[in-house]
Amino acid sequence: MKAYAYVDRIALERLVEIDQPDPVPGEHDVVVAMKAAALNYRDLAIADGDYHIEVQPPLIPVSDGAGEVVAVGKSVRRFRVGDRVCAVYLPDWTHGPIRREVAARRLGGPSNGVLRELMCASEEDFVMAPRHLSFEEAATLPIASVTAWQSLFVNGSVKPGDNVLVQGTGGVSIAAIQLARSAGARVISVVRTDKHRETLYRLGASDVLLSDDPSWHRQLFAVTRAVGANVIVNVAGGETVSDALLAASGAATIHLVGYAAGKMVTFDMFEAIRRAAKFLVAAAGSRASFQELVKLLELEEIRPLIAQRFSVRNHREGMDSLRRGGHLGKVVLTFD
């Protein structure tokens, strides 16, 4: 089988195609023919040597993927040949709160990821993909959508009528818009440009504000009748957290789910005290959360948004597109 790996050094220019033997499943393993993989900013951070945990070669990168079960071990009970499945990003985190010991094994770094034609792992490392989604759509779920679900409904508790502010247009942002709207919340999207306004409305945003407009905070308080945002999903980190705090209501919950604008977060402590703001940091989600997410996606027929597709052979073009940013939805690699 073909795989893509950092063999001797982790750097994007050293990600090469390699040949490996076809895997044979152990007693509790499944073999999945990967059909699609989705990229995340952590993939860039790992390639750049700027990830928050140590990652060493050799490594098959990329955490998010979906495929079809093509072989099972003799004691496998959760899946059958032909099932469509998604890999679980943190496979040892099955349920409950996250703990250090269940966060050590992470697909795509430091553990091998999904950028391979055939993936063999324990049946516990996968969940059933939503029945209504394509492989490309299902591949986008393990980090972005599960993080949005874990933040909004496990770490937090979005309620009907809440004002939910979502910053950005990447995978977590789009998922947060769709999920918060499905819970009956009013979603306010804050973006850098106006070009995606109509699509954001279609996805569930009630209002779209431009972050480059210095009056956007006043506009937000106007559309929420002076309440402000009860829940904020911040995907960029850095100084954007301070900016988001100015839009918060009293006792607002601010979910910190990314670091595209910087890994050092700064904000005015007096502003946080005035609002009694609560900050929660996301760490993706458990397998149980993933399974609950799948139920909602199927019930509401929610579809993730794909911004661009590339062949897995053109993975560097996909990574370059992700680095440029500004896309609406996820960047996906497909296995031919």
Side-chain angles (χ1 to χ4, degrees):
M1 72 167 188
K2 301 293 185 184
Y4 296 84
Y6 299 116
V7 176
D8 56 357
R9 182 165 63 90
I10 294 183
L12 193 53
E13 66 272 15
R14 305 296 289 182
L15 182 56
V16 296
E17 182 182 290
I18 61 172
D19 289 307
Q20 291 188 324
D22 288 357
V24 177
E27 184 176 349
H28 297 281
D29 295 340
V30 298
V31 177
V32 177
M34 302 307 299
K35 302 296 185 181
L39 300 179
N40 294 282
Y41 280 105
R42 74 181 296 270
D43 300 316
L44 288 176
I46 289 170
D48 294 342
D50 194 30
Y51 196 48
H52 62 88
I53 55 177
E54 185 177 8
V55 177
Q56 295 290 340
L59 175 72
I60 297 173
V62 182
S63 57
D64 290 11
E68 180 180 343
V69 176
V70 294
V72 299
K74 64 180 181 180
S75 296
V76 168
R77 297 292 180 267
R78 297 183 63 235
F79 302 107
R80 297 179 298 178
V81 171
D83 283 344
R84 301 164 68 255
V85 298
C86 296
V88 177
Y89 164 53
L90 296 173
D92 295 328
W93 186 12
T94 58
H95 64 280
I98 193 167
R99 306 183 308 278
R100 182 184 296 271
E101 59 268 27
V102 302
R105 189 161 64 105
R106 298 168 183 255
L107 292 192
S111 304
N112 281 331
V114 304
L115 219 59
R116 42 184 156 165
E117 291 179 328
L118 296 172
M119 178 177 176
C120 182
S122 167
E123 62 178 321
E124 304 297 331
D125 294 4
F126 299 91
V127 300
M128 292 289 287
R131 290 169 292 185
H132 66 299
L133 298 186
S134 68
F135 285 115
E136 291 85 356
E137 291 168 327
T140 70
L141 301 178
I143 285 187
S145 294
V146 174
T147 295
W149 171 273
Q150 185 82 16
S151 297
L152 295 176
F153 302 112
V154 181
N155 299 345
S157 55
V158 169
K159 304 180 296 298
D162 278 351
N163 299 316
V164 178
L165 168 63
V166 179
Q167 296 174 289
T169 58
V172 176
S173 302
I174 297 303
I177 291 170
Q178 294 174 307
L179 295 176
R181 184 68 186 88
S182 75
R186 177 177 190 142
V187 182
I188 301 101
S189 177
V190 177
V191 294
R192 287 182 294 178
T193 72
D194 204 31
K195 63 180 180 179
H196 300 309
R197 180 182 294 272
E198 293 305 317
T199 303
L200 292 168
Y201 286 145
R202 178 173 59 80
L203 292 169
S206 300
D207 305 275
V208 178
L209 308 178
L210 300 182
S211 58
D212 287 342
D213 184 342
S215 70
W216 78 263
H217 299 92
R218 293 196 298 274
Q219 295 175 45
L220 183 140
F221 278 97
V223 300
T224 60
R225 299 184 179 181
V227 172
N230 309 107
V231 177
I232 296 173
V233 179
N234 177 276
V235 299
E239 295 181 356
T240 69
V241 176
S242 179
D243 202 28
L245 180 60
L246 298 178
S249 69
T253 299
I254 302 174
H255 297 283
L256 305 179
V257 299
Y259 46 86
K263 59 187 178 182
M264 300 302 294
V265 171
T266 59
F267 58 86
D268 186 329
M269 191 61 189
F270 282 175
E271 294 290 352
I273 291 171
R274 290 188 190 102
R275 292 163 170 78
K278 177 169 62 175
F279 293 87
L280 296 176
V281 179
S286 67
R287 191 183 77 194
S289 286
F290 201 158
Q291 292 169 320
E292 291 299 309
L293 168 68
V294 168
K295 293 177 185 177
L296 178 69
L297 296 180
E298 291 182 339
L299 181 65
E300 298 290 335
E301 295 188 348
I302 295 172
R303 309 189 80 98
L305 194 62
I306 296 175
Q308 291 180 299
R309 292 174 173 85
F310 298 88
S311 167
V312 68
R313 296 191 303 273
N314 299 326
H315 53 269
R316 291 183 190 174
E317 292 180 30
M319 289 282 200
D320 288 342
S321 175
L322 182 66
R323 192 185 300 278
R324 289 192 296 271
H327 45 272
L328 185 65
K330 296 287 290 183
V331 176
V332 171
L333 305 179
T334 59
F335 291 79
D336 301 330

